[in-house]
Amino acid sequence: MVGVNSKKESPRGWRRFIPQPLRLFYRQLPMIFSYPKDIIEESAVDYDEYWKEKRGENLGELSPFQLARAKEVRHLLEPKCSVLDIGCGDGAVLKYIKHELDVIPWGVDQSTYALKSAESFGIRILHLNLNDPSSIEELPEVDYIMALEVLEHLPNPESLLRALASKCRKAFVISVPNSGYWLHRMRFFFGRTPAQWRRHPGEHLRFWTQNDVHWWVKAIGWELEELRSYEGLAGLNRIFPSWCAMGMIIKVKPSSITNQKVIL
């Protein structure tokens, strides 16, 4: 059974009759003029403490946002494939994918505390710091490599992806925030940059809109197989995803795999 941490409560009373896009719009509207914190936390991140604070007793449960992301990821994989999740954390997403598709799951993270949770769900874990290039040699070769909400934290994610390409038989599945979401656009309009952080403004080092994703994949010489949008203003995120979706998931095929198919 896949656990879901239902922090997003259903609307009550008269709010039930207001469409979700309007409810979310009015809830997020003040964020145009505010910041996640009034005081920046400058201490180094302790990943074990981060997971204890983030999940607490709900370790291994999907947040509503994670569940929406996991459902989109599910459509990009096939049953019984092998999957390596870079930055798997507590394993909640892999747990869901394993339950839905019976995949062979591998998880990599820096937090020993989070990895214990992942291991309890039958996920094969590796405690590695992928900032060390030699650690990539320890990774297994799999069908798919997932990097969900990871690349935006790196100054040069292209280098990591190219280093991992030799371990990926089929494709990468990557999720990043949509920096073209209406809220971020409005912050620019009113003289503020997007506030896509929790503890420190330096958490996100790279930013993508939908147009950026198409350019970026082409610029690194790879093939974009599929782009899916999720969360944000329900319904409108399907019609106007570049403005109304909060997140993007892409399925990318490395050039080595594409060239191999051409040769065959």
Side-chain angles (χ1 to χ4, degrees):
M1 189 70 180
V2 177
V4 177
N5 180 16
S6 183
K7 291 182 179 177
K8 193 187 292 183
E9 294 183 0
S10 300
R12 298 177 182 179
W14 58 269
R15 293 181 179 83
R16 295 177 306 181
F17 303 104
I18 300 178
Q20 184 270 355
L22 281 178
R23 292 200 310 271
L24 183 60
F25 176 80
Y26 282 111
R27 191 164 75 242
Q28 293 183 331
L29 195 60
M31 297 179 187
I32 295 174
F33 308 101
S34 63
Y35 293 87
K37 291 204 171 186
D38 294 327
I39 299 175
I40 293 175
E41 297 181 31
E42 299 184 58
S43 58
V45 178
D46 182 318
Y47 287 103
D48 286 342
E49 290 300 320
Y50 167 81
W51 279 104
K52 290 175 184 177
E53 179 184 341
K54 182 178 181 179
R55 284 286 184 265
E57 296 179 356
N58 299 314
L59 206 65
E61 294 185 2
L62 288 166
S63 68
F65 203 97
Q66 279 185 312
L67 179 60
R69 184 190 304 139
K71 286 181 177 179
E72 297 297 334
V73 170
R74 179 186 62 188
H75 293 294
L76 301 177
L77 307 174
E78 65 268 4
K80 299 189 182 301
C81 64
S82 54
V83 181
L84 172 66
D85 188 3
I86 302 299
C88 70
D90 60 358
V93 173
L94 275 177
K95 175 185 175 184
Y96 173 86
I97 299 297
K98 181 173 181 283
H99 177 268
E100 293 292 310
L101 297 175
D102 192 27
V103 302
I104 302 169
W106 288 84
V108 178
D109 206 274
Q110 294 185 53
S111 169
T112 304
Y113 179 78
L115 284 175
K116 286 180 181 177
S117 168
E119 188 174 30
S120 70
F121 305 134
I123 296 167
R124 306 173 188 189
I125 62 168
L126 291 166
H127 183 262
L128 297 173
N129 180 0
L130 294 182
N131 290 320
D132 176 8
S134 64
S135 65
I136 292 176
E137 299 175 8
E138 300 180 42
L139 298 176
E141 187 174 324
V142 295
D143 295 321
Y144 296 97
I145 294 180
M146 299 195 308
L148 308 179
E149 308 300 292
V150 170
L151 299 191
E152 64 271 19
H153 299 281
L154 306 176
N156 188 2
E158 296 84 1
S159 293
L160 176 61
L161 293 177
R162 292 193 191 282
L164 291 169
S166 63
K167 301 291 184 177
C168 182
R169 298 191 196 105
K170 293 185 177 181
F172 285 90
V173 175
I174 299 165
S175 77
V176 293
N178 175 22
S179 295
Y181 185 56
W182 75 269
L183 173 62
H184 308 315
R185 293 175 190 256
M186 289 299 99
R187 284 184 64 87
F188 269 122
F189 183 80
F190 286 100
R192 293 170 175 82
T193 56
Q196 297 173 319
W197 53 275
R198 291 185 178 183
R199 299 178 72 255
H200 192 281
E203 289 172 15
H204 286 199
L205 304 175
R206 295 290 294 271
F207 302 87
W208 288 270
T209 65
Q210 284 211 349
N211 287 337
D212 293 334
V213 164
H214 286 280
W215 167 83
W216 177 67
V217 174
K218 184 177 179 181
I220 61 177
W222 289 9
E223 178 186 342
L224 178 62
E225 282 203 338
E226 191 167 349
L227 188 157
R228 303 178 73 93
S229 301
Y230 69 102
E231 281 298 277
L233 306 179
L236 294 175
N237 58 4
R238 301 299 182 188
I239 303 171
F240 308 108
S242 62
W243 276 77
C244 300
M246 292 180 69
M248 301 178 288
I249 299 175
I250 60 174
K251 186 176 184 180
V252 183
K253 191 172 290 185
S255 56
S256 58
I257 297 175
T258 304
N259 294 338
Q260 190 179 39
K261 282 196 169 185
V262 172
I263 293 171
L264 292 174

